[in-house]
Amino acid sequence: MLSFTLVEKSDARIHIIHSLADDRIPFCPYFIIPYVLWYFFLIGTIVYFALFCSSKKEYYQYIGTLAVGMTLFILVSYVYPNGQNLRPDLSGESGVFVSAVRYLFPSIHVFNSVASCIALFQNERCRKNRLFTAAQTVLTVSIVLATMFLKQHCVSDVMTALILNILCYQLFYRVIPAR
């Protein structure tokens, strides 16, 4: 969190990331609901693997993925300061959802949500519960979509997070366990 705060307070010139696809995605404040549910999803997944999963291997695979992903995102932000200017002006808008959106700060929702989803898919006990698997899949997709519909992240942010998840999955769930 300290590193994140330092990046946010940096005076470095920021490169704005934007694509035409970002312009086609409407702003929808109701997506604040899955966006906020991310906090419970992430904390719940960490608690599950730390306290209720008997496999230390699975815990380290998950925590390793989160650590590598978040560290890489912070390092990239130091080397290549970037941001978005996607969200419409919310002044004059009212409502509980719009008010909640005003308090958002840059996030790592996409990467952490997908990492949590993958870790839970890999866990045999979780995978056996089809209702849980369906619910956590819907929640993960909703969180990813929320980052774009709240204009918190651009399409390229989402794609980068998904690619990094693939690389971390290969490293922590395939390469390292094979050794």
Side-chain angles (χ1 to χ4, degrees), residues 38-178:
W38 171 85
Y39 295 98
F40 299 100
F41 183 45
L42 184 68
I43 291 167
T45 304
I46 291 169
V47 167
Y48 171 74
F49 281 103
L51 302 177
F52 301 107
C53 179
S54 60
S55 172
K56 284 186 178 182
K57 175 185 149 196
E58 289 181 41
Y59 171 78
Y60 288 120
Q61 287 172 314
Y62 177 54
I63 295 302
T65 298
L66 292 180
V68 166
M70 290 188 284
T71 301
L72 283 175
F73 281 118
I74 290 291
L75 290 174
V76 167
S77 295
Y78 275 121
V79 175
Y80 181 68
N82 62 81
Q84 295 89 32
N85 191 11
L86 302 170
R87 194 171 299 140
D89 180 19
L90 298 178
S91 61
E93 296 287 329
S94 62
V96 68
F97 297 112
V98 172
S99 295
V101 170
R102 285 190 184 107
Y103 294 102
L104 294 182
F105 55 91
S107 66
I108 193 159
H109 279 59
V110 174
F111 179 81
N112 286 352
S113 296
V114 175
S116 297
C117 188
I118 289 169
L120 293 167
F121 275 146
Q122 295 299 309
N123 181 265
E124 186 178 342
R125 184 170 150 203
C126 292
R127 195 173 50 244
K128 283 182 180 178
N129 186 330
R130 291 178 187 235
L131 181 60
F132 176 78
T133 299
Q136 66 118 357
T137 302
V138 168
L139 179 59
T140 299
V141 170
S142 297
I143 292 167
V144 171
L145 291 174
T147 66
M148 292 185 288
F149 280 102
L150 293 173
K151 300 299 188 174
Q152 187 72 8
H153 288 293
C154 61
V155 173
S156 62
D157 282 343
V158 171
M159 298 309 296
T160 302
L162 295 176
I163 290 167
L164 184 56
N165 265 290
I166 292 168
L167 296 174
C168 284
Y169 174 80
Q170 292 302 316
L171 176 65
F172 288 104
Y173 292 88
R174 297 286 184 231
V175 174
I176 293 173

